[in-house]
Amino acid sequence: LLEVSGLLAGGRALAKYGVDTSVAELKEADTNRACGLIRTLLGRAERSGASWSEKDWSQVWLDLKEIQAHALPCVPAIDVKGMFCSSLLRVKRYGLARSYLHGTGSVPLRPEQAESLVVAVASELLASASTLEDDSVEEAREVLGLVPSSSKAAQAELAFLDALQRLAELGVE
């Protein structure tokens, strides 16, 4: 009965974000399917939540924790937090992302995990830029600023970006 109650609660939380699924589907979901449901929820949140308040995004995190704990326990809580932090970065909620990346909380990310996902989002932003004047280039710099300056991966991304800008200044396309 507790399992069914948890699956129902998880299903309601998913439906709140427009991700409709049955109790049977939740019960039978493997890790790939469960991650897909969470990514779908976060994708919808990214598209509609750019103007949401910190309270709204905090509610998304609370809902995700409930979904993970009761309906999709096959997905480690740390993975859910990483996906959530990536979404915060994509919607430019850098202060809130910093809190979740570096905060302790009930699901702490290790520094190397936080660094890895920050660099991955910054790389996505750089790859999406059509020119060096594209807003996503500056966003990538801002995202990379969320990790300590001792981060070799972040420094490599910044050095690459600086090299591209120098080449552009020299007229190399």
Side-chain angles (χ1 to χ4, degrees), residues 117-128:
L117 76 89
V118 164
V119 171
V121 170
S123 295
E124 284 176 30
L125 288 166
L126 288 175
S128 72

Side-chain angles (χ1 to χ4, degrees), residues 37-122:
L37 289 168
I38 292 168
R39 279 192 293 273
T40 299
L41 180 155
L42 287 169
R44 290 175 185 226
E46 287 175 28
R47 287 187 293 281
S48 61
S51 62
W52 289 354
S53 69
E54 285 191 12
K55 181 180 176 186
D56 295 329
W57 279 103
S58 294
Q59 185 59 53
V60 172
W61 172 240
L62 293 175
D63 290 340
L64 282 169
K65 285 188 350 182
E66 179 178 357
I67 291 164
Q68 184 276 329
H70 300 295
L72 302 171
C74 59
V75 181
I78 197 98
D79 293 352
V80 175
K81 188 170 189 180
M83 289 185 267
F84 176 68
C85 289
S86 293
S87 290
L88 288 174
L89 293 171
R90 286 188 196 98
V91 295
K92 304 174 194 163
R93 300 304 300 228
Y94 303 130
L96 193 55
R98 181 188 312 274
S99 297
Y100 282 97
L101 287 167
H102 302 299
T104 51
S106 61
V107 185
L109 287 174
R110 291 189 320 271
E112 60 274 9
Q113 290 171 304
E115 176 183 331
S116 177
L117 76 89
V118 164
V119 171
V121 170

